[in-house]
């Protein structure tokens, strides 16, 4: 099986880290192809960023169309996800979507932990969009952060362990989602200090994409032909006849 | 005051009709500039369509930036709305958003009436996105329709009057939103047959845009500079320094 | 256009302050008539207070009936609002209702800031009544207050600026409602210190009342004749034949 | 124990029927005093009607203050209920509130059955106000009705039995609320034809008022003194010092 | 009238305390029979504990079947409640269910107070199951506790009084549920220090069970015969022909 | 990998059918062990049935403990699921839970189709328990059914195809869950007639159990030792020390 993992931003180092996390969790026999968005923004933060990241993500999915059995959109907020599910013949999962569903399957209540409260609004909206707000036991976030995202995971490891403990003991979390790009890959380091399973969105997405690809190999969804202008040929072809 | 009305699709005849409806409701002293999306699709129906209509709508807003005091996105589903509110210095309203808020200000419960049930899922999602599901008394939609959208309003006028009566008598609607592009401009014809106010989204948006432009003339919201690639210069400049 | 602004309590100094705020925001050509409730209570705080403030507000609306194009109920909690919308031929808006809808049109999430936590239950219930709880990013309220409401705005200006900053940075508010009568008129002083638009309920109500009066000049809602006893002639006539 | 049952409208024949239903269900040793509203409307239908029925109901409660251990507001929609709970020292229950809570204690899902769909909006709003929408399995209402409310129960008995059967078999109702004044007293006649318990609001309210009076004989709630004008001495005294 | 009170765990001292609280609130003429679960666990804390406590509670109800007019399940979380309502001919109430409904009948918003935050997840889930989350003004819980539950009520009396004050002043609670087994019987001691009614679940359940037994003496619900194996004869007979 | 599939009822023919469906979807290298509940009921229909099916399901899980990497509870309503997730060291999934999550990952809105409306209440409650009500586009169920469940799938094949078409065209479903035991295995026959993916709960559960077993091989959740009586040694050992 082949899974395309799309980093919705244009930063190659992030794509590499995401690809490594995906490969570490893929089943034997699953090949991971990790690509960056071909255009757009180096970092996706706000709703305005998501808007342009959507077509950029779709472009990556279109560029490699036909070469994968399932795809993962590796950007919290899942830009382009709903359109991709509609246009592509294979399952497409977002990493936030995957984290939420995996957490629900592990226990009744999940916590969300991250290093800075500034990310909370985005996570709340994403959770509401996926309809699972009622399953969330609460958010535990660190204070404002203005340092290097590349090293925040290590710098704030103790803080994060404490937030996870609060999530379990105060909020009753039975699984915890580590949220935010800079925490990717942190789960194995933190797990020994935490009493419930920790969930990494990219890794959950890879496992669930494998599952869905087997369950529904090719979507029978009907297709409407539309003449799109203003986007590149690959995206345009997604809207044209199959 | 000057209000830019953006038709999110690329069909000039629709833009003309929208512009006429907007002008009919604008206050004296308000000038309406109605424009089509500079690229994208001739008709916006599904989520995949909304995805590409978002940047196309943003492009129209960017192309005319600085020349208007408020803007209206005239496409049910409000593509690009959240990003536009974030990026623009002036109020931007969607026609579905405007219809929902206007209906709420007229009574506790509003009905939604349209000529075909096929539009219901889109309206339900849009209503949920704006958080006002609990204020809706119910949907009353006609059967499947495969004729000419340009004449459906006239052809189904009696049907629509009946649906409006059901909405008032069975569902307790105190205001009714006429939903769907092909019903634009129908409210004045239908109103004499209906016991509660009928709301046209474009016209509600024009009045509310005038109100908001006076209330908050220039948004003080802070701005983050981002290097966007893959879009035209006007959109790119929206993400760059102000 | 003429807008009647009803202060639901019987305190003339409050009516004057409300009238001044309304006039400051009214469009050229809009005349504001601000009146007190003709009977009732000098201050409206609890649900029991709202109950008697309802008919008192209705009495003010009835006393001046026929002389205004739209009306504003200027009391947080919107006493008498639902009945007024049903009985009057012109649009009637409450200031809390107006604040909530205006805030929604400015951004996805709004915060509510006030000087004392004691007001929170009332605001929460009012927000739930209008169905917009899901759009609220959170409340930020000061500690208990037992001083003079007439000067609390100035005394707690720094506190309020800090609460607004928290609302933006921690809760992700994109607009902030300044709630509570004693904060009326504070928005212009506080706005320079706050990164998102501040909303004053009375001023939002005036602008939105102007908008609604143009959109639906005279409500076609049908009317049932009822023989009311125990209230004055003006209120009684509202329930009688039009 | 003595329970005051207030008919919120001014029609003596309705008060008599309500009193009879209440007495039929009261425990031995419980005395029922049934009174009409001293002013207001002969029939309560809309929100505007509720507004004036609130102070009228409060007046009845105030007129007899000190002579009862608990009170019941016998009007669907529960006018004045929230204020009465705040102002009175003894438990006050509404008949719709009582019906909803009793139904919940009898099963997970309750149905609401009435003779005409015209009442549905009112019931839905009342249910939402009490926060129990999620426990309702659905509404089953008859068609429009323009006959004599005094005989509709008998005329539509078979229709109602059929609606109850649908509620049980299609909606999974485990208890059914017979809603609407004209159906008062119908439960015993209909029960033999229905497979789940039928609930009459007035009778549920009497039993639950007895229970609450024993549980919390005198409310310790603190009281704020207010100078009310424009209402009679009994209501005014409710707002003054205790 | 005879009410069976089932302690869902197997600890006799707890059964005695529950029985005493029940008798203290029962009406004259009501006899209380308090029994322990015949098997299961000495303490019920988690969802896994509830699972086995369900059949154990049902066994106690079955063992005494025919000898009581109503029953109370005296264990927060109400194990076996939904099944008991379905299988028994008489009303069965849980103490959490009773506390929530009683609190709602006393005021619009109730608070939940307990001695340790560790119980919060359980209370939240139970509240959600009964559908009344929207009526709860908030939780106020003490810090982690590792002492003797038998004396925590006395040890933390001042803490609890403070939490109640916060619930009233900060959250606007109009009634407070004292939650958690170790706080049973504490309400009379704490009430003099608290400005709103305090509710004890067991006592609320006894009063409401009396009310429901009078309202619906024998449930008419239809019954399906099933051949159960693996449980004792009393439980098995509940599933067999009546 | 080894997956235990537990049929929560005691009917061997059902266990065989479930096992066959599970094996048809399992990945190469996954072994399926399908077992019946060791005691309980031959058919699970109501909440009272779920109560006893819970410990029976737990007994099957306990009997085979240590021999599987993940488990599936193959009974709509997921009896014993929450307890099993808490007590077992490996992932346990219910088939309704799996169907809901799989459907969400395939599209924004899913429909639920079954052969008889009598199952609707159960499905609605199960959906609400899993928190995904907002993702459901609606139910489409056939009329009452009193024939042989073993052949209903074939008898009502055309009816079901029509219900699926309604779900897609009227409700906007983007995936459809075929609900109810008698429809197990029907998806492949029906899929050619339906424009969106059809989901079989057992098969979704097998795929998702494989995914979760890889993602979180052994739960780190802490364990409390409890002395259980009244159940067999295997269940008792689940509550004792690990």
């Amino acid at each position: 099986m082949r899974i395309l993992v799309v980093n919705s931003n244009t930063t190659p180092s992030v794509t590499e880290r995401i690809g490594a996390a995906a490969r570490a969790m893929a089943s034997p026999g699953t090949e991971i192809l990790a690509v960056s968005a071909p255009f757009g923004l180096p970092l996706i933060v706000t709703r305005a960023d998501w808007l342009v990241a959507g077509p950029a993500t779709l472009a990556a999915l279109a560029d490699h169309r036909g070469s994968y059995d399932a795809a993962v959109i590796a950007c919290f907020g899942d830009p382009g996800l709903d359109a991709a599910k509609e246009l592509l013949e294979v399952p497409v999962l977002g990493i936030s979507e995957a984290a939420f569903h995996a957490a629900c399957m592990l226990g009744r209540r999940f916590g969300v932990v991250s290093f800075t409260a500034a990310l909370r609004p985005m996570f709340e909206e994403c959770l509401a969009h996926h309809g699972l707000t009622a399953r969330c036991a609460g958010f535990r976030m660190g204070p404002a952060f203005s340092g290097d995202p590349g090293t925040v995971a290590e710098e704030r490891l103790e803080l994060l362990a404490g937030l996870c403990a609060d999530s379990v003991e105060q909020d009753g979390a039975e699984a915890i989602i580590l949220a935010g790009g800079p925490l990717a890959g942190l789960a194995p380091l933190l797990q020994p200090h935490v009493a419930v399973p920790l969930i990494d969105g990219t890794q959950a997405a890879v496992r669930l994409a494998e599952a869905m690809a087997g369950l529904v190999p090719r979507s029978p969804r009907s297709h409407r032909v539309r003449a799109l202008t203003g986007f590149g040929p690959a995206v345009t072809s997604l809207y044209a006849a199959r």
Side-chain angles (χ1 to χ4, degrees), chain A residues 11 63 74 80 104 136 138 180 188 211 222 230 239:
Chain A
T11 307
D63 285 343
C104 285
C136 179
S222 67
Y239 288 79

Side-chain angles (χ1 to χ4, degrees), chain A residues 140-221:
Chain A
R140 296 276 171 177
M141 326 291 274
F145 176 77
S146 59
D148 176 6
T151 56
V152 68
E154 285 70 31
E155 276 173 41
R156 295 204 159 173
L157 192 65
E158 266 185 66
L159 172 79
L160 290 164
L163 294 173
C164 288
D166 288 347
S167 181
V168 173
E169 286 155 29
Q170 305 283 317
D171 302 337
E174 296 162 48
I176 291 174
I177 296 172
L178 288 178
L183 302 190
L186 191 68
L189 276 81
L190 210 51
Q191 185 69 78
H193 307 287
V194 181
V196 301
L198 293 175
I199 296 168
D200 173 281
T202 301
Q203 298 195 328
V206 166
R207 295 294 300 187
L208 293 174
E210 290 175 348
M212 297 307 292
L215 188 63
V216 187
R218 281 289 175 275
S219 164
R221 216 183 294 175

